Amino acid sequence: MPHLRLAPPAPTQPGVLLPARDLAVAWILMVLLAALAWVLTIGQSRHMGMEPGTMGLALPLFLLLWVVMMAAMMLPSVAPVAITWVRGINRRSAGPARALRIAEFVSGYLLAWTAFGLVAYGALAVTGHLVDRDPTTGRWIGAAVFLLAAAQQFGPLKRVCLRHCRNPMFQLLQYSRFRPWAKDLRVGAHHGLYCVGCCWGLMLVLIPLGVMNVAAMAALAAVIFLEKLWRQGPWLTWAVGLAFLILAVLAPFQDWLLPGLDPSGPPMEQMTGWTG
């Protein structure tokens, strides 16, 4: 009897466990949520400059803005795992229990990025202080940031985390063995940590480019999406790393590459709350 060989599903085919109709509806929902986050982010950026540092934001308001930004940038790329996991929740839960489990998963994912937001806030505070003392240091800070981001693109942590994010089926099998206690929260946080490990270098370049630089955010979101879901994503990772190396060389001599480290940029309007 001849042996039949079944080819494993491609790592970028996230919908193998979902009917096509359900997959389409889920993707539309994820895109709409990301679009809403983009609307909020763009609306807020209109009231803010790209001055160095924390832009005058207190930590709680910065983290709120950061979480919205991460939702805008990350939701499309996290869709393969999120959609399939939520599908499993829908099969095993109903009513309030289902809503609670989905909220736990999303909260766990955003919790990982909130933790990274604390690191980002500290880095922005330090760079803002250094640029205030000596504006010329912004050039070397920018070069160092681009160089660090390039190292992350070529480093082993990037490859490990990107491999994890590009193989949702393997992740779901791993997550199914988690203990029941706060399972969905821990699944969301676990996957969020891998996303942080995959993308922290890309987020870091917002320091020289400007945290509220919408064009930079959109470009980075596209890179993140393609790195995780495009078959040629690993090659894109290397190309972006090479681009960061070039920017690191140019940064000390080209101030226009560093709008987020320019102390003469337009000041942020005085903020008393969340504005749209």
Side-chain angles (χ1 to χ4, degrees), residues 12-194:
T12 52
Q13 290 180 329
V16 291
L17 295 182
L18 292 173
R21 181 179 178 181
D22 290 348
L23 181 63
V25 171
W27 267 101
I28 291 172
L29 179 60
M30 293 291 285
V31 170
L32 288 176
L33 290 174
L36 175 60
W38 274 111
V39 169
L40 293 173
T41 300
I42 294 171
Q44 191 64 20
S45 70
R46 295 173 59 188
H47 301 274
M48 302 173 68
M50 287 190 289
E51 62 190 70
T54 60
M55 300 166 291
L57 294 175
L59 179 59
L61 187 55
F62 175 85
L63 290 178
L64 177 61
L65 179 60
W66 180 263
V67 169
V68 174
M69 287 170 53
M70 292 305 100
M73 297 175 68
M74 296 294 171
L75 279 181
S77 64
V78 79
V81 172
I83 289 172
T84 311
W85 185 258
V86 170
R87 173 70 174 177
I89 292 175
N90 290 340
R91 289 176 176 173
R92 297 177 178 85
S93 306
R98 175 188 297 174
L100 178 61
R101 291 190 62 188
I102 293 174
E104 283 186 8
F105 174 83
V106 175
S107 298
Y109 182 81
L110 293 178
L111 183 63
W113 278 107
T114 301
F116 184 74
L118 292 172
V119 178
Y121 188 85
L124 287 168
V126 171
T127 56
H129 176 70
L130 293 174
V131 172
D132 285 342
R133 290 180 55 187
D134 182 3
T136 61
T137 60
R139 301 177 181 181
W140 303 107
I141 291 172
V145 169
F146 284 127
L147 186 61
L148 184 59
Q152 199 263 342
Q153 288 294 108
F154 295 123
L157 178 63
K158 178 81 175 189
R159 290 195 298 273
V160 170
C161 293
L162 192 57
R163 189 181 306 119
H164 177 94
C165 293
R166 287 176 60 84
N167 289 274
M169 295 301 299
F170 175 79
Q171 296 175 52
L172 294 169
L173 291 174
Q174 181 183 10
Y175 293 153
S176 66
R177 294 192 288 268
F178 277 24
R179 294 182 179 180
W181 181 82
K183 181 175 183 177
D184 299 295
L185 180 69
R186 290 184 291 119
V187 168
H190 186 270
H191 187 58
L193 288 174
Y194 269 99

Side-chain angles (χ1 to χ4, degrees), residues 211-229:
V211 173
M212 295 309 299
N213 187 332
V214 175
M217 282 190 284
L220 291 174
V223 169
I224 292 167
F225 182 84
L226 292 174
E227 278 187 343
K228 292 183 179 181
L229 302 183

